[in-house]
Amino acid sequence: MTLDSFPLASDPITAAQLAYQTSIRLATTKGGLRSRAVQLMAEALKQNQNEILEANTLDLEASREMAVPDLVLDWLKLTPERLHTTVQLLQRLSELPDPIGRVMTAIHQVNHCQTYSQLMPLGVIALIYEAFPELAAIAAGLCIKTGNSLILKGGSEASNSNAAISRALCLALEEAGLPNGCLQALPSDQGASVRDLIVQDQYLNLIIPYGRPSLVQQITRQATAPVLKSAMGNCYLYWSPSGSLETVRWIILDSHQSEPDPVNAIEKVLIHRNQNPSSLTMLWNSLREKGFELRGDASLVTEFPDLQLAEDMEWNQAYLAKIVAFRVVDSLDDAITWINLHSSGHADCLVTESYQESRQFALGINSASTYINASPRFSRSPKWGDSVFLGMSNQKGQRRGLISLETLTTMKYIVQGTEQS
């Protein structure tokens, strides 16, 4: 079968049913087979790079004609470097230990029995994503590695790119000998299929929406199957009076360096009322030199007229651009309260030289992760550690925080008796 002839999934209900049936068989496959399949997916992307980039060019041309926002165009654009990074991520995934079947001591024991817990696949996962054509390959690698079936539903702006990538991935899975239907892609141009897909709770075990907050909110409201909310932008930093100006500057700049999606970019900065005005001016001049647009609350705009006023609703919203808004607070307690009310809740920062403040912030912030004098910059494949991440989740529960291999598994408790009463 050639790349051009590989079919897309017909409709969401059929796709969900097939994915469910396939997931039962996929869950029992050996880890070595699944790792080989991920490696073959990496090779397929590499071999079909020209076709994928040509398809992406068509998407970019059509999107520009339709006046698609520049933000989405940045997310949509594939380059040889981005594709190479995706290939490397899949190769790294293929080399990681098999998470399925990992046995751990159970938290409780049963008399005359051996009791233990074991990681198992979730079953069927649906990724609904906006632009980011390479995200399909990363999600497919994570799902196949963990023994989960995956249904892809990309946006219409990336229809050609999504089709080319999903076909290449499916051919690799076919070559690996994995069950037919463990990876399916729904046509990008059928908007109704999203609504039909996310209510298939009898077949879907998890839905992951990835894109602008409006997409995530829409899926969360309408879905009947479990949703793992991904988060992007609207991360806060509190600059304590004892904190270093250079540290604040570095964290803001570094957090915006993730490409193409600066998931944990610092977009809001809370400053103590007693902060040195000259330090603020130095920071703002430095950020402006790097192309940032700066905004402030009413008190700052009054004192510094060159700042643009940030409207009330902006403190709750992600800019997803090189924009940073500043706000004055009276204390660390006020900063924690404000962040818990207005942050996206997935990555927030503190710059301080006080150990007491760092402990109070770490315990008081109601977010998935907190950073003390450290950059929250997001990386799908950190240099240290054996992990690959799809994104960040800001919802409470078992799957809060970085979306990794373990996120796509569940725990099964097994009690092995000895026939004694």
Side-chain angles (χ1 to χ4, degrees):
M1 185 177 292
T2 65
L3 184 63
D4 291 335
S5 63
F6 204 98
L8 294 172
S10 56
D11 66 88
I13 298 177
T14 303
Q17 291 172 340
L18 178 57
Y20 173 76
Q21 296 165 3
T22 304
S23 69
I24 299 173
R25 289 183 289 152
L26 186 63
T28 61
T29 55
K30 299 293 184 182
L33 176 59
R34 286 182 272 109
S35 291
R36 179 174 179 270
V38 176
Q39 179 63 41
L40 289 174
M41 287 195 292
E43 294 174 4
L45 291 184
K46 191 174 181 179
Q47 293 169 0
N48 293 284
Q49 173 177 302
N50 291 338
E51 290 88 343
I52 293 171
L53 292 177
E54 288 173 4
N56 186 249
T57 299
L58 295 176
D59 287 330
L60 287 169
E61 291 174 350
S63 295
R64 290 190 183 101
E65 291 178 0
M66 297 178 65
V68 170
D70 290 341
L71 170 68
V72 177
L73 286 175
D74 288 340
W75 291 353
L76 172 60
K77 184 178 181 180
L78 274 180
T79 62
E81 292 75 22
R82 284 186 185 177
L83 208 53
H84 177 65
T85 298
T86 305
V87 169
Q88 288 182 316
L89 286 174
L90 290 178
Q91 290 173 337
R92 185 174 187 183
L93 270 174
S94 71
E95 298 166 358
L96 295 180
D98 180 22
I100 300 304
R102 187 184 303 165
V103 176
M104 293 157 282
T105 302
I107 59 176
H108 71 283
Q109 295 295 319
V110 178
N111 287 340
H112 309 297
C113 296
Q114 179 186 8
T115 308
Y116 59 96
S117 57
Q118 186 170 338
L119 289 182
M120 304 294 290
L122 285 174
V124 181
I125 297 172
L127 175 69
I128 302 171
Y129 57 112
E130 186 177 28
F132 296 116
E134 70 272 29
L135 206 65
I138 299 169
L142 289 165
C143 286
I144 296 301
K145 184 75 176 183
T146 51
N148 292 293
S149 291
L150 174 65
I151 299 175
L152 297 166
K153 180 64 176 75
S156 58
E157 70 284 340
S159 57
N160 293 292
S161 307
N162 292 339
I165 289 175
S166 61
R167 286 166 178 161
L169 298 175
C170 287
L171 285 172
L173 296 178
E174 182 183 52
E175 181 181 349
L178 289 186
N180 181 35
C182 63
L183 175 63
Q184 299 178 73
L186 293 171
S188 300
D189 56 354
Q190 295 182 9
S193 64
V194 173
R195 295 188 295 274
D196 294 336
L197 176 64
I198 61 179
V199 296
Q200 301 303 317
D201 52 284
Q202 68 270 47
Y203 303 118
L204 297 183
N205 298 101
L206 188 67
I207 300 169
I208 304 177
Y210 197 98
R212 287 175 288 188
S214 57
L215 170 69
V216 177
Q217 293 165 6
Q218 176 188 354
I219 299 301
T220 303
R221 286 196 303 266
Q222 296 179 354
T224 58
V227 176
L228 179 62
K229 297 187 294 183
S230 62
M232 191 183 302
N234 203 38
C235 298
Y236 272 75
L237 180 149
Y238 172 59
W239 182 6
S240 166
S242 68
S244 162
L245 164 64
E246 186 54 38
T247 301
V248 172
R249 175 186 176 278
W250 167 71
I251 288 176
I252 295 173
L253 294 178
D254 190 71
S255 70
H256 281 260
Q257 292 303 307
S258 297
E259 201 246 2
D261 48 343
V263 173
N264 292 350
I266 297 296
E267 297 181 339
K268 309 294 181 346
V269 176
L270 302 181
I271 57 177
H272 194 277
R273 191 170 299 279
N274 295 333
Q275 191 59 256
N276 190 330
S278 63
S279 296
L280 293 177
T281 302
M282 290 173 63
L283 174 62
W284 294 338
N285 289 340
S286 178
L287 292 177
R288 287 191 178 102
E289 289 175 1
K290 298 295 183 179
F292 281 82
E293 177 184 325
L294 304 181
R295 301 180 185 179
D297 65 2
S299 63
L300 285 173
V301 171
T302 300
E303 187 174 356
F304 302 93
D306 56 337
L307 288 177
Q308 180 180 335
L309 179 65
E311 302 295 336
D312 289 344
M313 63 181 180
E314 294 182 33
W315 302 104
N316 298 303
Q317 299 174 349
Y319 293 129
L320 303 182
K322 294 181 72 173
I323 302 174
V324 182
F326 291 79
R327 184 179 184 88
V328 172
V329 294
D330 292 319
S331 65
L332 175 59
D333 285 330
D334 289 344
I336 292 174
T337 299
W338 184 269
I339 291 172
N340 287 339
L341 285 173
H342 301 281
S343 163
S344 293
H346 59 101
D348 295 297
C349 302
L350 168 68
V351 175
T352 184
E353 294 300 323
S354 166
Y355 175 78
Q356 182 178 353
E357 283 188 339
S358 69
R359 293 305 301 156
Q360 182 180 349
F361 187 85
L363 296 175
I365 289 295
N366 187 23
S367 298
S369 56
T370 56
Y371 296 80
I372 314 296
N373 299 325
S375 170
R377 179 175 176 174
F378 175 76
S379 173
R380 288 204 162 84
S381 182
K383 294 180 180 179
W384 307 106
D386 292 332
S387 298
V388 172
F389 304 119
L390 183 68
M392 285 282 292
S393 171
N394 61 350
Q395 69 186 49
K396 285 190 173 181
Q398 181 184 0
R399 302 182 182 94
R400 194 182 191 196
L402 290 162
I403 302 173
S404 63
L405 288 171
E406 287 72 20
T407 309
L408 307 184
T409 64
T410 188
M411 191 75 73
K412 174 184 285 189
Y413 290 93
I414 301 172
V415 180
Q416 178 68 52
T418 58
E419 300 183 356
Q420 295 186 25
S421 59

